[in-house]
Amino acid sequence: MGEERLGTEVRREQIAEAALALISERGLGGLSVAAVARRVGLVPSAIYRHFEGKEGVVDAVVGLIRDRLLRNVREACTEADDALDCLRRILTRHVQLIRNNVGVPRVVFSEELYASRPGRKGEVHAVVAGYLASVAEVIRRGQAAGCIRPGLEPGTLAVMFLGLVQPSAILWHLSDGQFDVTKHTQRAWEVFRGAIEAPGRPQPSQRRESGSEGEMS
Amino acid sequence: MGEERLGTEVRREQIAEAALALISERGLGGLSVAAVARRVGLVPSAIYRHFEGKEGVVDAVVGLIRDRLLRNVREACTEADDALDCLRRILTRHVQLIRNNVGVPRVVFSEELYASRPGRKGEVHAVVAGYLASVAEVIRRGQAAGCIRPGLEPGTLAVMFLGLVQPSAILWHLSDGQFDVTKHTQRAWEVFRGAIEAPGRPQPSQRRESGSEGEMS
DNA sequence: ATCCGTTGTGACGATACATTCACATATTGG
DNA sequence: CCAATATGTGAATGTATCGTCACAACGGAT
């Protein structure tokens, strides 16, 4: 059809992204080499020029997810010095990521992807653990700087932080976009911040550009 | 094989439970009528004596999930008067439910189940919304009783409450049971409680049997 | 210009699965 | 006891999908 010849590196990226998009739109069951091929404008057998097979494609999807998750944290951290500000930015990005790719939680929760290739579960676990470790590191930094209450396990807070996004994602997905993720995230963040912010000490750094600063009813 | 003749009501229950268990163990892709049949000790075609087809089985699974979720809230609420105590109990039960049935979040997040039968998404949404409404009602009750801070949207808190469980479930699942869900839930609950508990007023009801009461490092 | 590796195509086989049907056997009511 | 119904079985059909293979066309290196 298109028969537009491209390098295998480009194709591999296209294929991985197409696969993640398909998982997001139709679920894991909608991920077939045929569907992936159609989405990239190829014929099914052409996929095997760039990947060993379906498993290889899935591996690439996992890699894609890892890259995007970690990029979020990295970029958010370079944008802000204050730990709380940094967390806030990670949160926003994370919500955006999940909104655009419901496939991410689906891959993480999946078992069929793990059953077909042992070891993959460990890889995904490492991805999530790495993400949590980064968040925990930000929190630790905040505690050292005095803007986050000490005496709270950074690991626990990191997991809770993750929990700020997940249910929103579910509701947004189930309600076909009706649920206002942005508004909920703002409110939930305020509550969470209230729980972890160091008391008394209105943190030394400037609070610019934060948006909703007041209480919300 | 077994050829043990049973009433269709019993079979329907057995089949629904087998299906949910299969989803929990092998993912949605592992849900085939053949697998379900094998697990109940039947031959594939026998399933059609009790259900219209695979879709019917999935419907029964959704019903099963709804029943179990709502039963949790109902039972927890009859066990405690204090709203916070009640929430605590719902949390514990919910964690237990997810631990025993990873299939629950998987069904909720799935899209393939929704694509195959339009309307199912709405049903699942209603289930989750109903669950959240129940939790929000408990929170509202707590606010009226003065043990939960007013000025916090009950709906927001209910969604956050759901977020206390979800990431734990993921980690527990990914780590093959290494992650200590119970411990994390306790700690997360303490943080959450600190965020929503009415200040100053050490709530009127007695705080018996609560476990870790003090700070945690 | 030509040769060879790379990328893409179409046909094909193998496997798994959902569903149907004809048949067998247990249970129950008359 | 007998018929009717409910439940279970095994074979068979149709479809979707993964993967392979032989062949074609494009592109760069010699």
Side-chain angles (χ1 to χ4, degrees):
Chain A
M1 287 287 168
E3 174 103 36
E4 194 181 351
R5 264 169 131 89
L6 286 177
T8 194
E9 287 309 319
V10 188
R11 283 300 192 206
R12 283 180 66 95
E13 269 198 43
Q14 285 183 354
I15 291 171
E17 277 171 24
L20 179 55
L22 267 172
I23 295 177
S24 297
E25 291 170 15
R26 303 192 207 168
L28 285 166
L31 183 68
S32 65
V33 292
V36 173
R38 204 174 321 126
R39 184 173 261 259
V40 203
L42 284 179
V43 100
S45 59
I47 301 294
Y48 295 84
R49 293 286 174 210
H50 311 288
F51 286 96
E52 295 247 337
K54 195 182 180 180
E55 296 304 310
V57 176
V58 174
D59 284 338
V61 170
V62 172
L64 203 61
I65 292 178
R66 185 195 53 220
D67 293 348
R68 297 202 175 162
L69 273 178
L70 295 186
R71 180 158 53 107
N72 271 357
V73 182
R74 193 168 3 97
E75 290 185 2
C77 283
T78 60
E79 280 178 15
D81 287 338
D82 180 46
L84 284 172
D85 208 11
C86 186
L87 286 179
R88 177 72 213 265
R89 285 164 192 272
I90 296 176
L91 186 59
T92 307
R93 280 167 195 273
H94 194 117
V95 169
Q96 203 59 33
L97 175 62
I98 302 295
R99 269 186 68 152
N100 295 337
N101 300 60
V102 212
V104 173
R106 230 169 262 167
V107 167
V108 172
F109 262 119
S110 91
E111 183 72 34
E112 48 221 288
L113 296 189
Y114 303 152
S116 57
R117 211 192 86 162
R120 176 138 53 212
K121 197 171 193 167
E123 292 171 23
V124 175
H125 184 225
V127 170
V128 176
Y131 180 78
L132 285 175
S134 305
V135 174
E137 183 51 37
V138 175
I139 293 173
R140 220 182 313 268
R141 199 151 49 80
Q143 289 177 325
C147 59
I148 295 182
R149 269 173 46 198
L152 295 174
E153 194 98 54
T156 302
L157 294 185
V159 179
M160 288 183 73
F161 179 79
L162 196 58
L164 292 180
V165 194
Q166 223 122 51
S168 309
I170 293 188
L171 284 172
W172 178 76
H173 173 238
L174 284 180
S175 69
D176 272 320
Q178 291 300 305
F179 182 79
D180 190 335
V181 189
T182 310
K183 197 193 320 180
H184 169 81
T185 307
Q186 267 186 20
R187 295 181 176 175
W189 166 251
E190 293 297 327
V191 176
F192 184 68
R193 183 162 64 78
I196 71 170
E197 201 171 15
R201 191 170 340 189
Q203 71 265 33
S205 87
Q206 68 288 11
R207 297 197 202 172
R208 21 137 204 161
E209 184 251 26
S210 166
S212 67
E213 201 68 55
E215 282 296 316
M216 13 202 71
S217 74
Chain B
M1 285 289 168
E3 174 105 34
E4 194 181 348
R5 265 166 132 89
L6 286 178
T8 194
E9 287 311 318
V10 189
R11 283 301 193 208
R12 283 180 65 96
E13 269 199 41
Q14 285 184 354
I15 291 172
E17 275 171 26
L20 180 54
L22 267 172
I23 295 177
S24 295
E25 290 170 16
R26 302 191 205 166
L28 285 167
L31 183 68
S32 64
V33 289
V36 173
R38 206 174 320 125
R39 184 174 263 260
V40 222
L42 285 178
V43 99
S45 57
I47 301 293
Y48 294 82
R49 293 287 173 208
H50 313 288
F51 287 96
E52 294 248 336
K54 194 181 181 180
E55 296 303 311
V57 176
V58 174
D59 284 337
V61 170
V62 172
L64 203 62
I65 292 178
R66 184 196 53 221
D67 292 348
R68 297 203 174 162
L69 274 178
L70 295 186
R71 181 160 51 111
N72 270 358
V73 182
R74 190 165 10 96
E75 290 184 3
C77 282
T78 61
E79 281 179 16
D81 286 336
D82 180 47
L84 284 172
D85 207 11
C86 185
L87 286 178
R88 176 72 213 264
R89 283 164 193 272
I90 297 176
L91 186 60
T92 307
R93 278 165 197 272
H94 194 118
V95 168
Q96 203 57 33
L97 175 63
I98 303 296
R99 268 186 71 152
N100 295 336
N101 300 62
V102 212
V104 174
R106 228 168 264 166
V107 167
V108 173
F109 261 120
S110 93
E111 183 74 34
E112 49 223 287
L113 295 191
Y114 303 152
S116 57
R117 211 192 86 160
R120 177 138 53 214
K121 195 172 194 167
E123 291 171 24
V124 175
H125 183 223
V127 170
V128 176
Y131 180 78
L132 286 175
S134 305
V135 175
E137 183 50 36
V138 175
I139 293 174
R140 220 181 315 266
R141 199 152 50 82
Q143 289 177 325
C147 60
I148 294 182
R149 269 173 45 199
L152 294 174
E153 194 96 57
T156 303
L157 294 185
V159 179
M160 287 183 74
F161 179 78
L162 196 57
L164 292 180
V165 195
Q166 224 125 48
S168 309
I170 293 188
L171 284 171
W172 178 75
H173 173 239
L174 283 179
S175 68
D176 273 320
Q178 290 300 305
F179 182 79
D180 189 336
V181 189
T182 309
K183 199 196 315 182
H184 169 79
T185 307
Q186 267 187 19
R187 295 181 177 175
W189 166 251
E190 292 298 326
V191 176
F192 184 68
R193 182 164 64 81
I196 71 171
E197 201 171 15
R201 194 173 332 192
Q203 72 265 32
S205 89
Q206 67 288 12
R207 299 196 202 173
R208 26 150 194 148
E209 184 252 25
S210 167
S212 65
E213 199 69 52
E215 284 295 315
M216 16 203 68
S217 73

Coordinates of all heavy atoms in Angstrom, one line a residue, chain A residues 86-123:
Chain A
C86 N 7.9 21.0 43.0 CA 8.4 19.9 42.1 C 7.4 18.8 42.1 O 7.0 18.3 41.0 CB 9.7 19.5 42.6 SG 10.5 18.3 41.6
L87 N 6.9 18.4 43.2 CA 5.9 17.3 43.3 C 4.6 17.7 42.5 O 4.1 16.9 41.8 CB 5.5 17.1 44.8 CG 6.6 16.3 45.6 CD1 6.1 16.1 47.0 CD2 6.9 15.0 45.0
R88 N 4.3 19.0 42.7 CA 3.1 19.5 42.1 C 3.2 19.3 40.5 O 2.3 18.9 39.8 CB 2.9 20.9 42.4 CG 1.7 21.6 41.8 CD 0.4 21.1 42.3 NE -0.6 21.1 41.3 CZ -1.5 22.1 41.1 NH1 -1.5 23.1 41.9 NH2 -2.4 22.0 40.2
R89 N 4.4 19.6 40.1 CA 4.6 19.5 38.6 C 4.6 18.1 38.2 O 4.1 17.7 37.1 CB 5.9 20.2 38.2 CG 5.8 21.7 38.3 CD 7.2 22.4 38.3 NE 7.1 23.8 38.6 CZ 6.9 24.7 37.7 NH1 6.8 24.4 36.4 NH2 6.8 26.0 38.0
I90 N 5.2 17.2 38.9 CA 5.2 15.8 38.6 C 3.8 15.3 38.5 O 3.4 14.6 37.5 CB 6.0 15.0 39.6 CG1 7.5 15.4 39.7 CG2 5.9 13.5 39.3 CD1 8.3 14.7 40.7
L91 N 3.0 15.7 39.5 CA 1.6 15.3 39.5 C 0.9 15.7 38.2 O 0.2 14.9 37.5 CB 0.9 15.9 40.7 CG -0.5 15.5 41.0 CD1 -0.6 14.0 41.2 CD2 -1.0 16.2 42.2
T92 N 1.0 17.0 37.9 CA 0.3 17.5 36.7 C 0.8 16.7 35.4 O -0.1 16.2 34.6 CB 0.7 19.0 36.4 OG1 0.4 19.7 37.6 CG2 -0.1 19.5 35.3
R93 N 2.1 16.5 35.3 CA 2.5 15.7 34.1 C 2.0 14.3 34.1 O 1.7 13.8 33.1 CB 4.1 15.7 34.1 CG 4.7 17.0 33.6 CD 6.2 17.0 33.9 NE 6.6 18.4 33.7 CZ 7.1 18.8 32.6 NH1 7.1 18.0 31.5 NH2 7.5 20.1 32.5
H94 N 2.0 13.7 35.3 CA 1.6 12.3 35.4 C 0.1 12.2 35.0 O -0.2 11.3 34.2 CB 1.8 11.8 36.8 CG 1.7 10.3 37.0 ND1 2.7 9.5 37.4 CD2 0.6 9.5 36.7 CE1 2.3 8.3 37.4 NE2 1.1 8.2 37.0
V95 N -0.7 13.1 35.5 CA -2.1 13.1 35.1 C -2.2 13.2 33.6 O -3.0 12.5 32.9 CB -2.8 14.3 35.8 CG1 -4.2 14.4 35.2 CG2 -2.9 14.0 37.3
Q96 N -1.5 14.1 33.0 CA -1.5 14.3 31.6 C -1.1 13.1 30.8 O -1.8 12.6 29.9 CB -0.6 15.5 31.2 CG -0.9 16.1 29.9 CD -2.3 16.7 29.9 OE1 -2.8 17.1 30.9 NE2 -3.0 16.6 28.8
L97 N 0.0 12.4 31.3 CA 0.4 11.2 30.7 C -0.6 10.1 30.7 O -0.9 9.5 29.7 CB 1.7 10.7 31.4 CG 2.3 9.4 31.0 CD1 2.7 9.4 29.5 CD2 3.4 8.9 31.9
I98 N -1.3 9.9 31.9 CA -2.3 8.9 32.0 C -3.5 9.2 31.1 O -4.1 8.4 30.5 CB -2.7 8.7 33.4 CG1 -1.5 8.3 34.3 CG2 -3.7 7.6 33.5 CD1 -0.9 7.0 33.9
R99 N -3.8 10.5 31.1 CA -5.0 10.9 30.3 C -4.7 10.6 28.8 O -5.6 10.1 28.1 CB -5.2 12.4 30.4 CG -6.2 12.7 31.5 CD -6.5 14.2 31.5 NE -7.3 14.6 30.4 CZ -8.1 15.7 30.4 NH1 -8.2 16.4 31.5 NH2 -8.8 16.0 29.3
N100 N -3.5 10.8 28.3 CA -3.3 10.5 26.9 C -3.0 9.1 26.7 O -3.1 8.6 25.6 CB -2.0 11.3 26.5 CG -2.3 12.8 26.5 OD1 -3.5 13.2 26.4 ND2 -1.3 13.6 26.6
N101 N -2.6 8.3 27.7 CA -2.3 6.9 27.5 C -2.9 6.0 28.6 O -2.1 5.7 29.6 CB -0.8 6.7 27.5 CG -0.1 7.5 26.3 OD1 -0.2 8.7 26.3 ND2 0.5 6.7 25.4
V102 N -4.1 5.7 28.6 CA -4.7 4.8 29.5 C -4.1 3.5 29.5 O -4.2 2.7 30.4 CB -6.2 4.6 29.3 CG1 -6.9 4.4 30.6 CG2 -6.8 5.8 28.5
G103 N -3.3 3.3 28.4 CA -2.6 2.0 28.3 C -1.6 1.8 29.4 O -1.3 0.6 29.7
V104 N -1.1 2.8 29.9 CA 0.0 2.7 30.9 C -0.5 1.9 32.1 O 0.1 0.8 32.4 CB 0.5 4.1 31.3 CG1 1.5 3.9 32.5 CG2 1.2 4.7 30.2
P105 N -1.6 2.3 32.8 CA -2.0 1.5 33.9 C -2.5 0.1 33.5 O -2.3 -0.8 34.2 CB -3.2 2.3 34.5 CG -3.6 3.3 33.4 CD -2.3 3.6 32.7
R106 N -3.0 0.0 32.3 CA -3.4 -1.3 31.8 C -2.2 -2.2 31.7 O -2.4 -3.4 32.1 CB -4.1 -1.1 30.5 CG -5.4 -1.7 30.4 CD -6.2 -1.3 29.2 NE -7.1 -0.2 29.4 CZ -7.7 0.5 28.5 NH1 -7.4 0.3 27.2 NH2 -8.5 1.4 28.8
V107 N -1.2 -1.8 31.2 CA 0.0 -2.6 31.0 C 0.5 -3.0 32.4 O 0.8 -4.2 32.7 CB 1.1 -1.9 30.3 CG1 2.5 -2.7 30.4 CG2 0.8 -1.8 28.8
V108 N 0.6 -2.0 33.3 CA 1.1 -2.3 34.7 C 0.2 -3.4 35.4 O 0.7 -4.3 36.0 CB 1.1 -1.0 35.5 CG1 1.5 -1.3 36.9 CG2 2.1 -0.1 34.9
F109 N -1.1 -3.2 35.2 CA -2.0 -4.2 35.9 C -2.1 -5.5 35.2 O -2.7 -6.5 35.8 CB -3.4 -3.6 36.0 CG -3.7 -2.9 37.3 CD1 -4.0 -1.6 37.5 CD2 -3.6 -3.7 38.5 CE1 -4.2 -1.0 38.7 CE2 -3.8 -3.1 39.7 CZ -4.1 -1.8 39.8
S110 N -1.7 -5.6 34.0 CA -1.9 -6.8 33.2 C -1.2 -8.0 33.8 O -0.2 -7.9 34.5 CB -1.4 -6.6 31.8 OG -0.1 -7.0 31.7
E111 N -1.7 -9.1 33.5 CA -1.0 -10.4 33.9 C -0.7 -11.2 32.6 O 0.3 -11.9 32.6 CB -1.9 -11.2 34.8 CG -1.2 -12.5 35.3 CD -0.2 -12.2 36.4 OE1 -0.3 -11.3 37.1 OE2 0.9 -12.9 36.4
E112 N -1.5 -11.1 31.6 CA -1.2 -11.8 30.4 C 0.1 -11.5 29.8 O 0.8 -12.3 29.3 CB -2.3 -11.6 29.4 CG -2.6 -10.1 29.2 CD -4.1 -9.9 29.1 OE1 -4.7 -10.2 28.1 OE2 -4.7 -9.3 30.1
L113 N 0.5 -10.2 29.9 CA 1.8 -9.8 29.4 C 2.9 -10.4 30.2 O 4.0 -10.6 29.7 CB 2.0 -8.3 29.4 CG 1.0 -7.5 28.5 CD1 1.4 -6.0 28.5 CD2 1.0 -8.1 27.1
Y114 N 2.6 -10.7 31.5 CA 3.6 -11.3 32.3 C 3.7 -12.8 32.2 O 4.8 -13.4 32.3 CB 3.3 -10.9 33.8 CG 3.2 -9.4 34.0 CD1 2.4 -8.9 35.0 CD2 3.9 -8.5 33.2 CE1 2.4 -7.5 35.2 CE2 3.8 -7.2 33.4 CZ 3.1 -6.7 34.4 OH 3.0 -5.3 34.6
A115 N 2.6 -13.4 31.9 CA 2.5 -14.8 31.8 C 3.3 -15.3 30.5 O 4.0 -16.3 30.5 CB 1.1 -15.3 31.8
S116 N 3.1 -14.4 29.5 CA 3.7 -14.9 28.2 C 5.2 -14.8 28.2 O 5.9 -15.5 27.5 CB 3.2 -14.0 27.0 OG 3.4 -12.6 27.3
R117 N 5.8 -13.9 29.0 CA 7.2 -13.8 29.1 C 7.7 -13.6 30.5 O 7.6 -12.5 31.0 CB 7.8 -12.7 28.2 CG 9.2 -13.0 27.7 CD 9.8 -11.8 27.1 NE 10.6 -11.1 28.1 CZ 11.5 -10.2 27.8 NH1 11.8 -10.0 26.5 NH2 12.1 -9.6 28.7
P118 N 8.2 -14.6 31.1 CA 8.6 -14.4 32.5 C 9.8 -13.5 32.5 O 10.6 -13.4 31.7 CB 9.1 -15.8 32.9 CG 9.4 -16.5 31.6 CD 8.6 -15.9 30.6
G119 N 9.8 -12.6 33.6 CA 10.9 -11.6 33.7 C 10.3 -10.3 33.3 O 10.9 -9.3 33.8
R120 N 9.3 -10.2 32.5 CA 8.7 -8.9 32.2 C 8.1 -8.3 33.4 O 8.3 -7.1 33.6 CB 7.7 -9.1 31.1 CG 7.0 -7.8 30.8 CD 6.8 -7.6 29.4 NE 6.1 -8.7 28.7 CZ 6.3 -9.0 27.5 NH1 7.1 -8.4 26.8 NH2 5.6 -10.0 27.0
K121 N 7.5 -9.1 34.3 CA 6.9 -8.5 35.5 C 8.0 -7.8 36.3 O 7.8 -6.7 36.8 CB 6.3 -9.7 36.3 CG 5.4 -9.2 37.4 CD 4.7 -10.4 38.0 CE 3.5 -10.1 38.8 NZ 2.7 -11.2 39.1
G122 N 9.2 -8.5 36.4 CA 10.3 -7.8 37.1 C 10.7 -6.5 36.5 O 10.9 -5.5 37.2
E123 N 10.7 -6.5 35.2 CA 11.1 -5.2 34.5 C 10.1 -4.1 34.9 O 10.5 -3.0 35.2 CB 11.1 -5.4 33.0 CG 12.2 -6.3 32.5 CD 12.1 -6.7 31.1 OE1 11.5 -5.9 30.3 OE2 12.6 -7.7 30.6

